Amino acid sequence: MIPAGFEYHRPADVASAISILKQHGDEARVVAGGHSLIPMMKLRMADLAHLVDLQDIGEMKGIQVGADTAVLGAMVTQHEMITHEGLAAAIPLIREAALQIADPQVRYVGTVGGNVANGDPGNDMPGLMQCLDAQFELAGADGSRTVAARDFYEAAYFTARDDEEILTRIHIPVPSAGTGYAYEKQKRKIGDYATAASAVLITMDGGTCASASIAMTNLADTPIWAEAAAAALVGTSLDEAARAAAVAAAIDVIDPVSDNRGPVDFKKHVAGVILRRAIDRAASRAS
Amino acid sequence: MSKMHVKMTVNGKEVEALAEPRTLLIHFLREDLKITGPHIGCETSHCGACTVDIDGKSVKSCTVFVAQANGADVTTVEGLVNEDGTLGVIQEMFREHHGLQCGFCTPGMITRAHRLLQENPTPSEEEVRFGMAGNLCRCTGYQNIVKSILAAADHLNAQKEAAE
C-alpha cells in the first residue's frame, strides 16, 4: 500500500518531460493516469526516484476525428473515448472495447497511451490497436518517430519504446463505412483482465467477406495480430468452414499461460469461443 | 524525501499543507485533513471505498498521489450534505432503502452515485449496476444500493422539475 518516496515533476510540454527523462535515465518514469504504475509502486514492484506527471501537457490531449484518420492524444482517458460521439461514429469498436476495460473510476483517469504503452498483455487496447492498424507516435530527444501497433510489442512489458521516449499520439485509420466490428472479452468479473478477448473488423461485398482483421488479447506475452485467421475469412461467405478455419489459425498463433484464469487448454478453448462470437457479431454489423 | 507545498479545494474549502509527493490522496484526506469518510478497503484499486470526486470525475483516491491532486477540486461524502447540515438526497435514500449495513463502502458508494446521477439523471437498473461496478460491498448484495440510487434519481428529477 505504501509506495517509496520520489521526486515529483509536472512539466508543461513534451520537450521538458523528455529532458527530465534524459537527465535521470532509468531512475525516472512518466505517469499518465497512474492506474497501472501506482498500484505497482504501492506493491514496491516499481521503484523509481523521479515521477514525471504528464497531466499538464496539452499537446498530449484531445481527440481529432478526420475523414481518414482519428488522432488520439496519449493522455485521452477511457472515459473520454467512450463519451466522444464523433469517435464512436467513426470507430465504434473503440467505445465497445473501452466499456469492457476496468470500471468507471479507473476509466476516468486511465489513458489510452498508458494502456498501450504499459506492455502488460492483459491490457485490451494493444490488441484493439493492432486490429485497427494504429500507428504510435513516439517523441524523443531527437524528434519523433512512428511505430505500427503491429510492430510495437516485443514481450511482456517490453515494447519498441525507448526509455527516454514518450508515446504522445495514436493515429488510427478510420474503417470504411459499413465495416462490421466487435470486441468480445471473456472475463471473471468487472475490472478483470481477459481470460481471452478478440477484436474483429470485417467488411463485406455482397455476401462475400472482402477484408478482415483479427487480434487476440491476453493469450500470449504480447497481443497477437492473427493475420492468417483473418485471411481464412476473406473471400468466403463466412460459412462454418471459414469460421472454423479462422479459429484454428488463431489458436495456432496464440501461446497462453496457465494462471488463476485457467489452464492452457481452457484458454485455447475460450479463445476459440470468443473469436467465433466476435466474428458473428462483426459480420452481423457489416453492410 | 522533501515535502512539497500542496494546495487544493476540499468540500468547497481551500486547504494548504506540506506533504511528501508519495502521500496517497486517501491518506492526505484522512490523516492530514481528518476527513475520514472515504475508506481504504484494498491495495489493488478494486474496491472503490476511497472514491472521491476530483474535478468532476469519480476517482479512487488510493490511486492518486497528493502531488497529482495539487490544485484540484475534491469532494468527499462529507461535502454531499445539504447546506443546513441535513442529509443530501442520495444519503437520505440510502437510509430509507437500507442501502448500507456496516457502512464501510457507503461513502465511496454515495460519492460515486453522486457523479453517476450527474452524468445520467435517469439511469436504468442495468446502468446503475454497471455505473457502480467500481465499488464493492460486502454486506448488502447491492440490491438495496440500486434501489437507493434509483429512488435518489426520482427525487432529484422531481426537485429539478419543481424548480423549473
Side-chain angles (χ1 to χ4, degrees):
Chain A
M1 184 74 186
I2 308 297
F6 54 81
E7 293 290 331
Y8 176 77
H9 309 264
R10 200 193 280 196
D13 53 56
V14 171
S16 314
I18 289 167
S19 76
I20 298 167
L21 291 182
K22 260 193 105 62
Q23 192 185 339
H24 299 290
D26 59 9
E27 298 264 274
R29 287 277 291 277
V30 298
V31 63
H35 275 52
S36 296
L37 181 61
I38 296 174
M40 297 297 267
M41 292 172 72
K42 288 162 66 175
L43 297 169
R44 305 276 176 132
M45 291 168 77
D47 186 20
L48 45 91
H50 296 269
L51 191 67
V52 185
D53 186 346
L54 304 175
Q55 69 169 294
D56 279 355
I57 303 183
E59 60 196 293
M60 290 178 66
K61 295 179 184 172
I63 297 172
Q64 274 113 39
V65 182
D68 302 322
T69 309
V71 181
L72 308 180
M75 290 296 283
V76 166
T77 64
Q78 312 287 354
H79 180 79
E80 289 170 329
M81 285 192 284
I82 291 165
T83 52
H84 193 285
E85 294 300 335
L87 184 66
I91 315 178
L93 179 61
I94 292 179
R95 177 185 277 176
E96 176 159 302
L99 282 166
Q100 298 179 61
I101 294 174
D103 62 50
Q105 287 95 320
V106 177
R107 290 193 292 265
Y108 281 108
V109 277
T111 66
V112 63
N115 195 293
V116 300
N118 188 27
D120 187 330
N123 288 118
D124 291 291
M125 285 285 158
L128 192 79
M129 293 301 166
Q130 291 192 334
C131 180
L132 289 161
D133 197 15
Q135 307 287 318
F136 298 156
E137 191 179 331
L138 303 167
D142 304 323
S144 70
R145 64 186 178 116
T146 299
V147 179
R150 291 173 187 173
D151 299 326
F152 188 72
Y153 298 94
E154 295 165 358
Y157 299 103
F158 284 92
T159 67
R161 185 185 62 81
D162 292 334
D163 283 351
E164 290 165 12
E165 284 182 318
I166 296 173
L167 193 155
T168 52
R169 269 179 286 276
I170 299 168
H171 301 255
I172 310 171
V174 173
S176 58
T179 300
Y181 64 92
Y183 193 72
E184 186 76 28
K185 178 176 177 180
Q186 172 64 41
K187 58 188 178 189
R188 298 172 299 180
K189 57 184 168 56
I190 283 279
D192 194 21
Y193 283 152
T195 303
S198 183
V200 173
L201 289 176
I202 285 175
T203 61
M204 298 296 285
D205 184 5
T208 302
C209 174
S211 70
S213 180
I214 293 174
M216 311 294 287
T217 293
N218 214 15
L219 291 160
D221 66 351
T222 64
I224 298 286
W225 183 53
E227 205 173 355
L233 299 176
V234 175
T236 74
S237 62
L238 302 178
D239 54 290
E240 174 50 29
R243 291 184 299 145
V247 166
I251 289 175
D252 194 45
V253 291
I254 60 174
D255 185 20
V257 292
S258 171
D259 60 17
N260 290 344
R261 295 183 181 90
V264 170
D265 286 349
F266 174 71
K267 289 190 175 182
K268 287 186 172 176
H269 172 75
V270 177
V273 171
I274 59 107
L275 176 55
R276 254 171 203 281
R277 289 182 188 168
I279 291 170
D280 288 350
R281 195 157 78 242
S284 74
R285 286 163 164 171
S287 57
Chain B
M1 281 287 158
S2 53
K3 291 192 171 184
M4 63 183 281
H5 185 239
V6 247
K7 195 171 167 182
M8 65 182 81
T9 306
V10 181
N11 297 329
K13 270 188 239 153
E14 284 228 336
V15 298
E16 288 186 57
L18 282 175
E20 281 189 68
R22 68 163 172 166
T23 307
L24 296 167
L25 180 60
I26 182 68
H27 289 135
F28 181 73
L29 292 170
R30 291 179 52 84
E31 292 169 17
D32 291 72
L33 304 184
K34 311 297 178 198
I35 294 173
T36 57
H39 290 139
I40 299 170
C42 73
E43 56 177 10
T44 50
S45 312
H46 286 106
C47 78
C50 64
T51 299
V52 301
D53 204 84
I54 302 181
D55 296 331
K57 298 176 279 199
S58 298
V59 179
K60 296 179 180 180
S61 61
C62 76
T63 315
V64 181
F65 292 121
V66 73
Q68 295 171 288
N70 195 9
D73 187 354
V74 178
T75 303
T76 71
V77 71
E78 288 88 345
L80 296 175
V81 292
N82 296 325
E83 273 174 27
D84 62 2
T86 56
L87 295 182
V89 170
I90 302 172
Q91 295 168 336
E92 183 62 34
M93 289 302 105
F94 267 67
R95 188 194 66 75
E96 188 170 321
H97 293 275
H98 306 285
L100 68 148
Q101 289 176 36
C102 84
F104 198 83
C105 76
T106 313
M109 285 283 178
I110 287 175
T111 312
R112 170 62 195 138
H114 165 74
R115 180 53 46 199
L116 172 66
L117 294 180
Q118 301 279 315
E119 292 185 349
N120 183 357
T122 53
S124 65
E125 176 180 338
E126 192 185 346
E127 286 167 339
V128 169
R129 288 183 184 274
F130 190 72
M132 298 299 296
N135 294 76
L136 300 183
C137 173
R138 286 293 190 214
C139 301
T140 64
Y142 302 101
Q143 193 69 20
N144 286 348
I145 290 176
V146 175
K147 278 188 200 165
S148 305
I149 295 170
L150 290 171
D154 287 344
H155 275 267
L156 290 166
N157 291 330
Q159 279 180 4
K160 223 183 292 169
E161 254 172 54
E164 273 162 15

